Every structure is written in C-alpha cells, then in structure tokens.
Amino acid sequence: MESLAHIAFGVYTALIVGGACIAVLARSLVRSLVGLVATLFGVAGLYLLMAAPFIALMQILIYVGGVSVLIFFAIMLTHAAPTGDESKSRPVRKRLNAIFAMTVPAVVLAIQIIVHGPKGFEMPSEVSLPELGAGLLGPYLLAFELISVVLFVAMAGAIMLAWRQWGKR
Amino acid sequence: MSALQLYQLVALFLLCVGLYGFIWRRSLVSMLICLELMLNGAGLSIVAASQHTAANAVLGQLGALLVMGLAAAEATLVLAIVLVVTQRFKTSESISVSELKG
C-alpha cells in the first residue's frame, strides 16, 4: 500500500511539473491552457492522496469545468494568434527579473521547508462529508455566505464592464 | 522527507513557476493562467498543512474551497477586463496599458 501511494504521488507530481512547464513556456495560448488543465488534474490527484476526495471533486468541477472554460473564452475573444504577442523577443533584463522572482522565494522557502519544516503525520486525517457540511452551516457560515456575495458581485461587475463596451459600438 | 514536506515542496514549485511566468509572459491571458497556477499551489499547501498536522482539518478543506471560489470570481473579472482592454487598445499585451495618457 505504501509503495502504491509513492507511485501515485510520483505520477501526479510528474503531471503537475510537466503541465506547469507547458503552461509557462508554450508559445501558443491554447497549449498553455492545456498545460494548466493537466496541472489542475495533478493537483486534484494529490487531494485524493491526502484523503480529501470532496476537495478533489470540487477542484475538477470548479477549475477544470469552470475557470479553464473562462480562460478559453478569453483566448477566443482576444483573437490571440500563436505567432502574436508571446513569440516576440524580450529584453534580457526581463528574463533576469523573472529568474530572480522565481529563485528568491524558491530558495528561502525550500530551506525553511526542508530544514525547519514540521514532520507532520504520515497518515492524513479523515474528514467525512457530513462534518464538512456541518462546518459550512455552523462556524463558517459567514465565510460561506460572503463567498456567494463575492461571486455575485464579480459576475455582475463583469457583465457591466462588457456591456458598456458593446453598447458603444 | 515526510509526506507533509513533499506536498509543501510541490506547492512551492507551483508558486515559483507561476511567479516566473507572471513576469515572463506578455499577454494578459497567459498572466491569468500563471495566476491560477499560483492559487492552486496555495490551495494545495493549505489542504496539506491541515490534513497532515493536528490542525483543524475541516477548516483547511473549507479554506481551500473558499480559495477556489475566489479564483473563479477573479477569473470572471479578469476576463471582463481583458475584453475591455482588447477592445480599447486592439491588443491584449500588458505593456500596452502601462502608459499614462497625459
């Protein structure tokens, strides 16, 4: 059982690493989106390994089903061509900035995690679905309601923004 | 290395790749993709920290759920902003909106 979990962890991590590299480095935006979807599936697999199947399903439902479709709409509506903005050359300073922004948190946080990080339990704690539901309707009710208000305001704001632009034409 | 540390390292990888892409990319849509990568790393870190330690596991899972909801709200708003920028500037490059009109 233990080695099976290790194999599954390796597979999901490979999916995450490969997908993230494609998402960041691909010239074409659609390929980059496909890399993002692969990463999202890998993270959902890791949630399953952590004994959080509800969060894994929500990850697939919200991210793969909702957010990635939204990003696909954004790609279509901006008429992004594969030979467009992304394939132009960039100044060297920009590459240096990007590498700097990546390495500083990587080095600092990796040292913190490896040297000083808590060991934690080997087995994840089990949370049943009724406990999650009781949490949503009990102590965390305010956050649950506020997130619906935030979603509503975001949708209404998005429609307002797009509406004005279309009205002008 | 324990399981918790491995999960945290994967989350850190997602954060760093997202940061790299966020600065390296030109168009607004691919910056949004890198932002989603970073938010995924955050959710992974929260759930790992709550499932593998003595912390409240219900709070961790619900926190990750709230992060997903915020990511969805932010993606809709960014989609609308990208639309407005594309219609006004005829391109979705981030550099085109960096100049002030005097």
Side-chain angles (χ1 to χ4, degrees):
Chain A
M1 238 2 239
E2 194 66 7
S3 61
L4 260 183
H6 282 136
I7 292 171
F9 181 82
V11 170
Y12 294 141
T13 309
L15 201 60
I16 288 176
V17 171
C21 288
I22 293 174
V24 170
L25 298 175
R27 292 261 160 106
S28 147
L29 278 182
V30 177
R31 275 188 202 150
S32 164
L33 180 64
V34 171
L36 176 71
V37 169
T39 309
L40 297 178
F41 272 116
V43 173
L46 284 189
Y47 285 149
L48 278 183
L49 268 185
M50 276 183 239
F54 175 68
I55 300 296
L57 278 179
M58 282 301 121
Q59 164 97 2
I60 292 176
L61 206 70
I62 297 178
Y63 270 115
V64 182
V67 173
S68 61
V69 172
L70 266 181
I71 297 176
F72 193 71
F73 271 119
I75 293 174
M76 281 196 324
L77 290 172
T78 54
H79 312 290
T83 53
D85 307 334
E86 290 295 334
S87 53
K88 286 181 202 158
S89 67
R90 300 157 170 85
V92 182
R93 201 166 61 90
K94 193 164 184 182
R95 180 182 287 270
L96 286 181
N97 281 348
I99 291 175
F100 184 71
M102 178 180 65
T103 45
V104 170
V107 171
V108 172
L109 292 178
I111 290 174
Q112 289 296 322
I113 290 171
I114 293 171
V115 179
H116 304 292
K119 292 290 174 215
F121 312 141
E122 274 309 302
M123 294 305 286
S125 46
E126 297 273 342
V127 177
S128 64
L129 208 49
E131 284 178 65
L132 278 181
L136 270 184
L137 291 182
Y140 311 118
L141 181 64
L142 181 65
F144 182 54
E145 293 295 331
L146 276 183
I147 197 79
S148 62
V149 173
V150 167
L151 270 171
F152 170 70
V153 170
M155 305 280 167
I159 291 174
M160 281 288 293
L161 271 177
W163 193 282
R164 288 221 181 119
Q165 280 309 109
W166 280 325
K168 269 185 201 164
R169 271 194 307 194
Chain B
M1 227 183 293
S2 66
L4 175 61
Q5 284 171 318
L6 285 175
Y7 288 130
Q8 298 285 17
L9 283 180
V10 174
L12 176 62
F13 168 81
L14 280 177
L15 168 74
C16 294
V17 168
L19 269 177
Y20 177 80
F22 196 77
I23 296 184
W24 175 241
R25 289 297 204 148
R26 278 170 178 277
S27 66
L28 291 170
V29 179
S30 42
M31 285 166 80
L32 173 62
I33 289 177
C34 295
L35 202 67
E36 295 299 333
L37 282 180
M38 285 194 269
L39 281 171
N40 254 282
L44 188 64
S45 174
I46 294 172
V47 176
S50 72
Q51 292 289 98
H52 281 271
T53 60
N56 187 352
V58 174
L59 178 58
Q61 294 202 13
L62 293 182
L65 203 61
L66 293 190
V67 169
M68 284 179 202
L70 281 182
E74 162 259 331
T76 28
L77 269 185
V78 172
L79 170 63
I81 292 172
V82 166
L83 260 183
V84 172
V85 166
T86 321
Q87 302 217 328
R88 188 170 294 175
F89 296 90
K90 305 295 175 213
T91 171
S92 66
E93 273 192 66
S94 57
I95 193 86
S96 65
V97 274
S98 68
E99 284 174 15
L100 292 174
K101 199 169 187 178

